[in-house]
Amino acid sequence: MKRILLLSLIFGIAFLGACSQNDNKMNDMDQSSMEHEMDDDMMEEHMDHDDEVSLNDSTGKNELKIPKELEQDEKSKEIVYTVKAQKGETEIFDGIQTDTIGYNGAFLGPMLRFDKGDTVKIKTINELDEETTFHWHGLEVAGAADGGPHSALQPGEEKVIEFKVDQEAATLWFHPHPDGQTSEQVYNGLAGLIYIEDENSKSLGLPNEYGQNDIPLIFQDRTFDDEKQLNYDAAMNDDGTIGDTLLINGTLNPKLTVKKEKVRLRLLNGSNARNYTFKLNSGDSFTQVATDGGFLNEPVTLEEITLTPSERAEIVVDFSSLDTLDDLALIDEEGSILLPFDVSEQGGKEEEIPEEMNQFTITEEEKNLPVTKEVELFGMMDKVTINGKKFDPERIDFTQEQGVTEVWEIYNKPDEMGGMIHPFHIHGTQFKILSRNGKEPSKNEQGWKDTISVEPDETVKVAVQFQHKGVYMFHCHILEHEDNGMMGQIKVE
Ligand code: C2O
Ligand code: CU
Ligand code: CU
């Protein structure tokens, strides 16, 4: 992020400098810059955009809230859930009610746990005053159940969807996807978790006591106004809305109390636009065990990990082996304290992280496939496009055959300011990263992904296969970019 900001600054200064010194003799660069009608306002906002709004440190005043696990409607052979989008009020700040929206509650949503092989029915209900959809991010389901912008539920409407869970254990999430309104609805509180379990996840011996040593962490930055309300219109930035206040699972100033044991943290960047680079303030390393869509083959030791919006990673922190436990915290790249840990004297389970966790492979055949889909990400603010076009619900951009692997090449074309990272997401599939700028992806990206960060001027090749049919979205997961039309559609037949 810093690098891009710097690049933007250099470009910006060079541009301004060239303009003032050299009014008559315009060189090529000036001309091309002028052709794009970059007005000062836009430049300023763009330069302002990146993550330079630092996060306030968490004081650790409040114990982290853990989303409830959603119970099935009845214990029967059928697996039936009800998920309702509704309005409410939430006491985020002591003694103050903030207007929020949530699933089956006032703010955020429950965790839905599926087993691989389950046939799941979900009754979705819209109790908001506006249309919404129920999108299952990362789930491999038919287009009709995917909850894209075509599947809007009007206020008061309900709809039952059904699908079979046929993918490996992973941490996924769900959120709304109404055309043009996604960012505001997510910002105001609509987001929930999905855990998929399978034989492998149950037998690996990784920490799996929900809320004890298996902790979901949904990171969302927000701006609260003087009345401590979420005023989306006031906070909104076309290049991605960011805020100075971090909520984790909706908790302000969170802390997490843990035992001296290995703890699995399921990180979800649920923010509209902010990127996070997570690390421990002690400098200690941790172990990544899973990507967006499943376990890594082998654990990967890291000192930091970056997640762009909607990306997930499961990491294990071994609190029994750290030297200093005082003032231990999860921090970001700027050193802001995100989550202080309160490590009790109590020991816990002694589990080993297995050396072999999965059998994720990229075949020679996949490596040698020609590129058959090209995606060019470009622009900023409300001028964002994919392949030069904005989203049109009436237009199908690509078609692909069900069960056939194709290689997509995603290129982030820089602009005069240098450009910015776009997190690129495809619905209805988990895909494989073949290369980044021609090179093998890092070890911790050699696993199933549904969203990837694409840096300015970077080309990423991915192998994509859809298990089901239907129309799916692909888009930038900076939610304001998505709402501004940085989205296309693929029809799988
Ligand atoms: Cu999180 Cu269109 O998705
Ligand atoms: Cu999605
Ligand atoms: Cu974008």
Side-chain angles (χ1 to χ4, degrees), residues 201-247:
S201 69
K202 290 176 189 167
S203 64
L204 281 177
L206 288 169
N208 65 356
E209 287 164 53
Y210 184 66
Q212 301 299 315
N213 59 13
D214 178 351
I215 312 283
L217 298 174
I218 309 171
F219 294 87
Q220 299 180 307
D221 59 325
R222 297 291 184 260
T223 303
F224 290 92
D225 68 12
D226 295 343
E227 269 78 57
K228 303 289 185 215
Q229 298 299 315
L230 290 164
N231 185 341
Y232 180 72
D233 288 339
M236 202 279 258
N237 181 324
D238 270 314
D239 245 350
T241 303
I242 57 176
D244 59 1
T245 306
L246 180 70
L247 303 179

Side-chain angles (χ1 to χ4, degrees), residues 234-413:
M236 202 279 258
N237 181 324
D238 270 314
D239 245 350
T241 303
I242 57 176
D244 59 1
T245 306
L246 180 70
L247 303 179
I248 307 183
N249 303 346
T251 320
L252 178 74
N253 289 321
K255 73 152 187 272
L256 177 64
T257 304
V258 291
K259 291 185 197 151
K260 271 193 183 165
E261 63 178 347
K262 291 194 182 70
V263 176
R264 176 177 179 183
L265 303 174
R266 304 194 190 213
L267 314 174
L268 159 61
N269 182 347
S271 301
N272 283 36
R274 182 183 285 273
N275 303 320
Y276 301 83
T277 297
F278 300 104
K279 31 180 147 177
L280 293 169
N281 60 349
S282 57
D284 283 299
S285 57
F286 50 82
T287 307
Q288 186 177 350
V289 295
T291 54
D292 297 336
F295 291 110
L296 289 159
N297 286 354
E298 297 157 18
V300 177
T301 305
L302 298 169
E303 265 150 36
E304 58 176 56
I305 182 168
T306 301
L307 295 181
T308 62
S310 91
E311 282 189 290
R312 285 91 62 212
E314 294 181 28
I315 63 170
V316 175
V317 179
D318 187 355
F319 291 97
S320 67
S321 75
L322 302 181
D323 292 336
T324 12
L325 297 171
D326 293 337
D327 300 320
L328 190 67
L330 192 69
I331 58 171
D332 71 1
E333 67 283 3
E334 293 176 301
S336 297
I337 297 171
L338 311 181
L339 183 65
F341 296 109
D342 198 341
V343 188
S344 73
E345 275 309 309
Q346 209 185 342
K349 286 223 181 91
E350 281 179 37
E351 285 164 312
E352 287 307 314
I353 302 172
E355 283 306 312
E356 271 181 47
M357 301 184 295
N358 207 350
Q359 277 153 19
F360 173 86
T361 50
I362 297 176
T363 63
E364 279 309 303
E365 198 193 329
E366 284 167 333
K367 281 184 195 153
N368 293 323
L369 283 173
V371 171
T372 42
K373 302 263 186 288
E374 286 181 32
V375 174
E376 186 183 272
L377 308 170
F378 182 65
M380 59 189 205
M381 304 297 289
D382 57 352
K383 302 205 168 35
V384 282
T385 55
I386 291 184
N387 292 342
K389 289 177 241 161
K390 282 195 174 290
F391 177 62
D392 177 351
E394 306 300 327
R395 187 188 68 233
I396 296 293
D397 298 275
F398 292 145
T399 57
Q400 188 165 327
E401 217 180 300
Q402 177 188 23
V404 173
T405 304
E406 287 199 39
V407 174
W408 295 37
E409 185 177 85
I410 300 122
Y411 175 57
N412 181 351
K413 185 178 162 189

Side-chain angles (χ1 to χ4, degrees), residues 424-442:
F424 183 73
H425 167 53
I426 310 175
H427 283 210
T429 180
Q430 291 291 336
F431 55 77
K432 304 172 181 179
I433 304 180
L434 299 175
S435 65
R436 286 186 173 275
N437 280 338
K439 295 199 201 83
E440 187 173 76
S442 60

Side-chain angles (χ1 to χ4, degrees), residues 456-467:
D457 209 24
E458 190 179 24
T459 301
V460 188
K461 279 195 204 178
V462 296
V464 183
Q465 192 186 104
F466 293 90
Q467 308 306 328

